[in-house]
Each structure stands twice: as structure tokens, then as C-alpha cells.
Amino acid sequence: METIANPWLWAVFFSLVLIMLAIDLFLVGGGKQHKVSVKEAAIWSVIWVSVSMLFAAGLWWYLRDTAGPEIANAKTLEFITGYLIEKSLAIDNVFVWLMIFSVFAIPPELQKRVLVLGVLGAIVLRTVMIFAGVWLITQFHWLLYVFGAFLLFTGIKMWWAADQEPDLQNNPLVLWVRRRFNVTEELEGEKFFVRREVNGRWVRYATPLFLVLVLVEFSDVIFAVDSIPAIFAITTDPFIVLTSNIFAILGLRAMYFLLADMADRFSLLKYGLALVLVFIGAKMLLIDIYKIPVAVSLSVVALIIATSVVLSLRQSRSTDAEQEHRAD
């Protein structure tokens, strides 16, 4: 696996991730059942994005002196493009989390523990999948075509299913858990399991919060399968792939609380994400015919996301104005 990283760079990256994780777990959100405000979430979201861009600047500075400005520019651009793609696709993951918490009526102050485990699970899962994926691609180049076709299909499917909401209560995974565990009707604080006395013996019960955790972790798997192949269209350098993925994930909790009260204002964003997947899939299928420059990929992805956000906000304002007009 060819990479621009050396042991020193890997050490710096993992040390930075551990520090950021500690900050995210112990500082963001304060106490166990503290409800994160929109202002607090916005501040932390800006901090996470700023740290990611500072890392990109540090990477450019280091590579400029060790490998030359041409490689420094190319690798930094790959990191920023990969980060934008992964961050954009992570928004869809956040929307799914919002829907899961809503369906199971989990109050905001009880969501922190599930989100923490969800982010940690996503980091471990993506690390394993990225190294496995890079190794497979170096051994079997034709897998890029498989990934491209898969992303193209996923993007088209996402477009057609953008307005559909899945039946989470009857999700096969939830039904499987219910068949194997006794599940309480009510929440038990932040507990995933409780013990209750039934007919003179203690029986372990899962809580609805455990069902939510299972769905959150499962959604991490689904979105990892979608998002990791997407960055392989930009680079197969494991250092760039992993760093852009992890930095995009680290700010997910803050992003979740930022979008929690305004998710309905971005109703067209899923269409934009679908177009991103279609574009990346097409780029991978054309990789041996015409290699689209990374700068072009970055511009296209940024334009698609920005356009879908602007159109979503316009539609939201139009809907609000129409509702106010009807009320009058």
C-alpha cells in the first residue's frame, strides 16, 4: 500500500484523534444528561471543521518541505476533497439518527450515550474497512469498477427513496432483537439493560434505548459501505483515506445537535447527496478512460451540496410564508 505517510505522521494523527475524542466525549455536552443547545453545537461544529482544516494546512506544510510543493498540493487537495465528500455523506447519517431517536421517542438528554458509542463504533469500523479496502484495490484493480457501479446504483436508489421513511418499528433487525430479548415498554434512563424480578427469579430486560443503539450501529455499517468506496475515487492512499474519514466523523455529535431542530429545512439535501454518489460512481467507472482531476471533483461536489442547501432553504422559507398566509 503506497502512502505519503511515515511512522511519525501516523503517530501525530492518532495522537490528535485521541485528544479530539477525549474532548468530544468529556467536554461536548457537559454532564451525562445535559441537553446540547444549538449555539453550543454550532460552536463545536466550527471548532471541528477548523481543526480539520488546520490538519490539512499542517500536512501541506510538512509535505512541502519533505516531498516538494507539487505533492504537497496534490495530497492536501485529496484530503480536503475526501473530507468534503465524507462530511456531506455523514449528514445523511445524522438525518437517519434523528429519525431513529424520533421514532423511539428518545429525549435529547438521553441521546448522548448512544451517540458516543455510535461515533466510536463508526471510527473502529471505518478504520478496519479502509485498510481492507485499500489492500483489496491494490490486489484487484477491477474492484474500482465494482465500487463505481455500486455507488451509481446507490445514488439512483437514494434519489427515488428520498421522500420515503422506513418503518423502523418493524425493521427486521429490531424484530430479531425483540425475539431474543425481553424488552421493556419504558425507558430506564441511560441504561441499555435492566434486571426485573419475574415469578421469583431475576430476568434481564433490554430497554428501548438498546434497540436504538442497535439501529444506530447498523446505520454506521450501511453508511460506511456507501461512503468509503466514494473516497477511493479520489485517492487510494490509506493515510489520506483514513484521515479524511476520521476527521469527518469526529464532529458528528456536534453536527447532530446542530441539525436536530432544523433537519426539516434541508428537505432537498438528500437529492444533492444522491447526485454526489452518482457523480463519484461515474468518476470511478471512467477512471481508466479519463481521470477527472481532483480539483474538478472538489468543485462539483461543493457545487452540488451548496446548491441543494440553498434550494432547501428557499423551499423552507416559501413553505413558511405560505403557512403564515393561510393562517392569516
Side-chain angles (χ1 to χ4, degrees):
M1 291 185 288
E2 294 185 4
T3 178
I4 48 92
N6 54 34
W8 184 85
L9 265 181
W10 283 111
V12 169
F13 167 63
F14 284 119
S15 298
L16 187 58
V17 168
L18 289 175
I19 293 172
M20 292 175 70
L21 273 177
I23 293 172
D24 190 35
L25 298 182
F26 298 110
L27 292 184
V28 181
K32 273 190 173 184
Q33 296 190 12
H34 167 71
K35 180 180 178 181
V36 180
S37 66
V38 173
K39 179 181 178 180
E40 186 179 356
I43 291 173
W44 280 108
S45 294
V46 171
I47 290 174
W48 294 134
V49 173
S50 300
V51 170
S52 301
M53 293 302 100
L54 284 174
F55 177 83
L59 180 65
W60 178 86
W61 176 81
Y62 174 78
L63 291 176
R64 183 199 60 181
D65 292 340
T66 58
E70 186 176 346
I71 292 179
N73 292 338
K75 292 299 179 180
T76 304
L77 192 59
E78 287 178 0
F79 171 85
I80 294 174
T81 305
Y83 175 80
L84 177 61
I85 291 173
E86 298 302 323
K87 199 71 171 177
S88 302
L89 295 176
I91 294 175
D92 198 29
N93 202 353
V94 168
F95 286 162
V96 171
W97 289 355
L98 286 167
M99 183 170 55
I100 292 172
F101 285 126
S102 174
V103 169
F104 287 87
I106 307 298
E109 59 271 16
L110 297 182
Q111 296 170 5
K112 179 181 176 181
R113 190 180 182 192
V114 175
L115 292 173
V116 167
L117 294 175
V119 170
L120 291 176
I123 289 174
V124 173
L125 175 68
R126 291 184 185 226
T127 301
V128 173
M129 290 181 68
I130 284 169
F131 281 109
V134 171
W135 181 83
L136 285 171
I137 288 174
T138 58
Q139 301 298 313
F140 310 102
H141 177 75
W142 52 267
L143 279 175
L144 286 174
Y145 294 109
V146 176
F147 288 156
F150 173 75
L151 291 175
L152 194 63
F153 170 78
T154 302
I156 295 172
K157 182 181 177 182
M158 181 184 290
W159 178 281
W160 290 111
D163 293 328
Q164 300 175 11
E165 291 191 5
D167 185 3
L168 294 177
Q169 290 286 2
N170 294 312
N171 180 281
L173 186 59
V174 171
L175 296 178
W176 182 87
V177 172
R178 287 186 180 276
R179 286 196 298 268
R180 282 155 181 77
F181 292 94
N182 298 305
V183 181
T184 63
E185 295 295 328
E186 303 293 334
L187 292 166
E188 299 285 344
E190 290 189 320
K191 294 179 180 179
F192 295 129
F193 293 95
V194 293
R195 294 175 66 85
R196 289 182 176 177
E197 189 174 3
V198 179
N199 297 327
R201 64 187 184 91
W202 290 97
V203 178
R204 187 174 66 168
Y205 280 77
T207 68
L209 200 63
F210 177 72
L211 295 180
V212 169
L213 176 65
V214 170
L215 287 174
V216 165
E217 296 291 359
F218 182 69
S219 73
D220 286 341
V221 175
I222 299 301
F223 282 100
V225 171
D226 286 344
S227 64
I228 290 177
I231 197 174
F232 287 145
I234 306 301
T235 180
T236 56
D237 185 324
F239 184 76
I240 301 298
V241 175
L242 184 62
T243 53
S244 58
N245 257 271
I246 300 305
F247 275 104
I249 291 172
L250 282 173
L252 268 186
R253 282 208 310 130
M255 184 192 295
Y256 170 85
F257 290 112
L258 179 62
L259 295 176
D261 294 328
M262 54 176 127
D264 57 337
R265 295 185 178 274
F266 298 98
S267 57
L268 300 179
L269 187 56
K270 278 200 172 187
Y271 294 99
L273 297 176
L275 290 177
V276 168
L277 288 178
V278 169
F279 169 73
I280 296 298
K283 174 181 168 68
M284 295 183 81
L285 291 174
L286 295 172
I287 196 166
D288 289 326
I289 300 174
Y290 175 71
K291 192 169 184 179
I292 299 175
V294 176
V296 174
S297 298
L298 175 59
S299 301
V300 171
V301 172
L303 180 62
I304 291 173
I305 296 302
T307 301
S308 61
V309 168
V310 170
L311 291 178
S312 294
L313 294 175
R314 282 186 178 180
Q315 184 185 70
S316 176
R317 285 196 295 268
S318 176
T319 302
D320 290 344
E322 184 178 343
Q323 289 177 348
E324 290 179 3
H325 178 71
R326 288 179 179 178
D328 294 338

mmCIF file of all heavy atoms in Angstrom, residues 1-19:
data_model
loop_
_atom_site.group_PDB
_atom_site.id
_atom_site.type_symbol
_atom_site.label_atom_id
_atom_site.label_comp_id
_atom_site.label_asym_id
_atom_site.label_seq_id
_atom_site.Cartn_x
_atom_site.Cartn_y
_atom_site.Cartn_z
ATOM 1 N N MET A 1 0.842 -1.199 0.000
ATOM 2 C CA MET A 1 0.000 0.000 0.000
ATOM 3 C C MET A 1 0.877 1.249 0.000
ATOM 4 O O MET A 1 1.573 1.517 0.975
ATOM 5 C CB MET A 1 -0.918 -0.005 1.229
ATOM 6 C CG MET A 1 -1.994 -1.075 1.202
ATOM 7 S SD MET A 1 -3.162 -0.987 2.576
ATOM 8 C CE MET A 1 -2.134 -1.555 3.921
ATOM 9 N N GLU A 2 0.869 1.989 -1.109
ATOM 10 C CA GLU A 2 1.673 3.196 -1.221
ATOM 11 C C GLU A 2 1.015 4.348 -0.462
ATOM 12 O O GLU A 2 -0.174 4.592 -0.597
ATOM 13 C CB GLU A 2 1.856 3.578 -2.694
ATOM 14 C CG GLU A 2 2.669 2.565 -3.493
ATOM 15 C CD GLU A 2 2.923 3.037 -4.906
ATOM 16 O OE1 GLU A 2 2.525 4.190 -5.220
ATOM 17 O OE2 GLU A 2 3.499 2.274 -5.681
ATOM 18 N N THR A 3 1.846 5.047 0.307
ATOM 19 C CA THR A 3 1.318 6.160 1.091
ATOM 20 C C THR A 3 2.390 7.199 1.298
ATOM 21 O O THR A 3 3.600 6.881 1.284
ATOM 22 C CB THR A 3 0.798 5.674 2.457
ATOM 23 O OG1 THR A 3 0.327 6.795 3.209
ATOM 24 C CG2 THR A 3 1.880 4.954 3.236
ATOM 25 N N ILE A 4 1.982 8.435 1.485
ATOM 26 C CA ILE A 4 2.940 9.511 1.744
ATOM 27 C C ILE A 4 3.309 9.564 3.226
ATOM 28 O O ILE A 4 4.192 10.317 3.622
ATOM 29 C CB ILE A 4 2.362 10.873 1.299
ATOM 30 C CG1 ILE A 4 0.922 11.079 1.831
ATOM 31 C CG2 ILE A 4 2.382 10.989 -0.186
ATOM 32 C CD1 ILE A 4 0.838 11.767 3.122
ATOM 33 N N ALA A 5 2.626 8.776 4.053
ATOM 34 C CA ALA A 5 2.820 8.846 5.499
ATOM 35 C C ALA A 5 4.008 8.003 5.945
ATOM 36 O O ALA A 5 4.304 6.960 5.366
ATOM 37 C CB ALA A 5 1.563 8.394 6.229
ATOM 38 N N ASN A 6 4.666 8.463 6.994
ATOM 39 C CA ASN A 6 5.711 7.703 7.676
ATOM 40 C C ASN A 6 5.249 7.464 9.107
ATOM 41 O O ASN A 6 4.193 7.963 9.521
ATOM 42 C CB ASN A 6 7.041 8.461 7.628
ATOM 43 C CG ASN A 6 6.906 9.890 8.169
ATOM 44 O OD1 ASN A 6 6.138 10.149 9.089
ATOM 45 N ND2 ASN A 6 7.637 10.825 7.586
ATOM 46 N N PRO A 7 5.977 6.671 9.880
ATOM 47 C CA PRO A 7 5.538 6.401 11.269
ATOM 48 C C PRO A 7 5.294 7.662 12.083
ATOM 49 O O PRO A 7 4.380 7.697 12.923
ATOM 50 C CB PRO A 7 6.707 5.574 11.836
ATOM 51 C CG PRO A 7 7.283 4.873 10.643
ATOM 52 C CD PRO A 7 7.159 5.857 9.516
ATOM 53 N N TRP A 8 6.073 8.712 11.824
ATOM 54 C CA TRP A 8 5.901 9.954 12.575
ATOM 55 C C TRP A 8 4.546 10.584 12.263
ATOM 56 O O TRP A 8 3.837 11.040 13.171
ATOM 57 C CB TRP A 8 7.033 10.919 12.233
ATOM 58 C CG TRP A 8 6.996 12.186 13.039
ATOM 59 C CD1 TRP A 8 7.523 12.390 14.282
ATOM 60 C CD2 TRP A 8 6.394 13.438 12.651
ATOM 61 N NE1 TRP A 8 7.279 13.675 14.696
ATOM 62 C CE2 TRP A 8 6.592 14.344 13.720
ATOM 63 C CE3 TRP A 8 5.710 13.859 11.518
ATOM 64 C CZ2 TRP A 8 6.134 15.665 13.673
ATOM 65 C CZ3 TRP A 8 5.252 15.172 11.474
ATOM 66 C CH2 TRP A 8 5.469 16.052 12.539
ATOM 67 N N LEU A 9 4.169 10.611 10.982
ATOM 68 C CA LEU A 9 2.876 11.178 10.595
ATOM 69 C C LEU A 9 1.726 10.377 11.177
ATOM 70 O O LEU A 9 0.742 10.942 11.662
ATOM 71 C CB LEU A 9 2.749 11.227 9.075
ATOM 72 C CG LEU A 9 3.129 12.521 8.361
ATOM 73 C CD1 LEU A 9 2.902 12.389 6.861
ATOM 74 C CD2 LEU A 9 2.362 13.708 8.916
ATOM 75 N N TRP A 10 1.823 9.052 11.126
ATOM 76 C CA TRP A 10 0.781 8.207 11.713
ATOM 77 C C TRP A 10 0.656 8.481 13.210
ATOM 78 O O TRP A 10 -0.462 8.565 13.744
ATOM 79 C CB TRP A 10 1.091 6.727 11.486
ATOM 80 C CG TRP A 10 0.808 6.223 10.105
ATOM 81 C CD1 TRP A 10 1.706 5.825 9.166
ATOM 82 C CD2 TRP A 10 -0.491 6.068 9.501
ATOM 83 N NE1 TRP A 10 1.064 5.417 8.020
ATOM 84 C CE2 TRP A 10 -0.277 5.558 8.187
ATOM 85 C CE3 TRP A 10 -1.790 6.298 9.933
ATOM 86 C CZ2 TRP A 10 -1.333 5.279 7.318
ATOM 87 C CZ3 TRP A 10 -2.842 6.029 9.051
ATOM 88 C CH2 TRP A 10 -2.613 5.525 7.769
ATOM 89 N N ALA A 11 1.787 8.621 13.893
ATOM 90 C CA ALA A 11 1.769 8.872 15.340
ATOM 91 C C ALA A 11 1.092 10.198 15.662
ATOM 92 O O ALA A 11 0.288 10.300 16.604
ATOM 93 C CB ALA A 11 3.194 8.847 15.892
ATOM 94 N N VAL A 12 1.417 11.230 14.882
ATOM 95 C CA VAL A 12 0.796 12.551 15.095
ATOM 96 C C VAL A 12 -0.712 12.463 14.889
ATOM 97 O O VAL A 12 -1.497 13.001 15.685
ATOM 98 C CB VAL A 12 1.422 13.591 14.139
ATOM 99 C CG1 VAL A 12 0.607 14.881 14.162
ATOM 100 C CG2 VAL A 12 2.856 13.869 14.525
ATOM 101 N N PHE A 13 -1.109 11.787 13.814
ATOM 102 C CA PHE A 13 -2.537 11.673 13.511
ATOM 103 C C PHE A 13 -3.294 10.954 14.626
ATOM 104 O O PHE A 13 -4.314 11.453 15.120
ATOM 105 C CB PHE A 13 -2.730 10.935 12.189
ATOM 106 C CG PHE A 13 -4.147 10.487 11.942
ATOM 107 C CD1 PHE A 13 -5.173 11.417 11.815
ATOM 108 C CD2 PHE A 13 -4.463 9.135 11.860
ATOM 109 C CE1 PHE A 13 -6.489 11.010 11.602
ATOM 110 C CE2 PHE A 13 -5.769 8.725 11.650
ATOM 111 C CZ PHE A 13 -6.785 9.655 11.521
ATOM 112 N N PHE A 14 -2.811 9.778 15.034
ATOM 113 C CA PHE A 14 -3.523 9.015 16.062
ATOM 114 C C PHE A 14 -3.522 9.743 17.411
ATOM 115 O O PHE A 14 -4.502 9.677 18.156
ATOM 116 C CB PHE A 14 -2.909 7.617 16.210
ATOM 117 C CG PHE A 14 -3.280 6.675 15.106
ATOM 118 C CD1 PHE A 14 -2.322 6.118 14.283
ATOM 119 C CD2 PHE A 14 -4.614 6.350 14.875
ATOM 120 C CE1 PHE A 14 -2.677 5.257 13.254
ATOM 121 C CE2 PHE A 14 -4.984 5.492 13.854
ATOM 122 C CZ PHE A 14 -4.003 4.948 13.037
ATOM 123 N N SER A 15 -2.445 10.449 17.720
ATOM 124 C CA SER A 15 -2.411 11.235 18.967
ATOM 125 C C SER A 15 -3.457 12.343 18.922
ATOM 126 O O SER A 15 -4.176 12.591 19.904
ATOM 127 C CB SER A 15 -1.016 11.840 19.168
ATOM 128 O OG SER A 15 -0.040 10.835 19.288
ATOM 129 N N LEU A 16 -3.551 13.003 17.767
ATOM 130 C CA LEU A 16 -4.541 14.076 17.609
ATOM 131 C C LEU A 16 -5.962 13.535 17.713
ATOM 132 O O LEU A 16 -6.830 14.162 18.337
ATOM 133 C CB LEU A 16 -4.329 14.754 16.255
ATOM 134 C CG LEU A 16 -5.152 16.017 15.971
ATOM 135 C CD1 LEU A 16 -4.885 17.074 17.032
ATOM 136 C CD2 LEU A 16 -4.809 16.566 14.589
ATOM 137 N N VAL A 17 -6.203 12.348 17.136
ATOM 138 C CA VAL A 17 -7.534 11.742 17.196
ATOM 139 C C VAL A 17 -7.900 11.410 18.643
ATOM 140 O O VAL A 17 -9.032 11.661 19.084
ATOM 141 C CB VAL A 17 -7.595 10.475 16.330
ATOM 142 C CG1 VAL A 17 -8.874 9.688 16.620
ATOM 143 C CG2 VAL A 17 -7.545 10.842 14.862
ATOM 144 N N LEU A 18 -6.951 10.864 19.406
ATOM 145 C CA LEU A 18 -7.219 10.523 20.807
ATOM 146 C C LEU A 18 -7.548 11.777 21.614
ATOM 147 O O LEU A 18 -8.452 11.767 22.454
ATOM 148 C CB LEU A 18 -6.018 9.794 21.413
ATOM 149 C CG LEU A 18 -5.771 8.367 20.908
ATOM 150 C CD1 LEU A 18 -4.482 7.801 21.505
ATOM 151 C CD2 LEU A 18 -6.953 7.458 21.256
ATOM 152 N N ILE A 19 -6.811 12.853 21.370
ATOM 153 C CA ILE A 19 -7.074 14.115 22.078
ATOM 154 C C ILE A 19 -8.458 14.646 21.711
ATOM 155 O O ILE A 19 -9.240 15.054 22.588
ATOM 156 C CB ILE A 19 -5.989 15.160 21.732
ATOM 157 C CG1 ILE A 19 -4.639 14.726 22.300
ATOM 158 C CG2 ILE A 19 -6.384 16.534 22.275
ATOM 159 C CD1 ILE A 19 -3.480 15.598 21.844
#
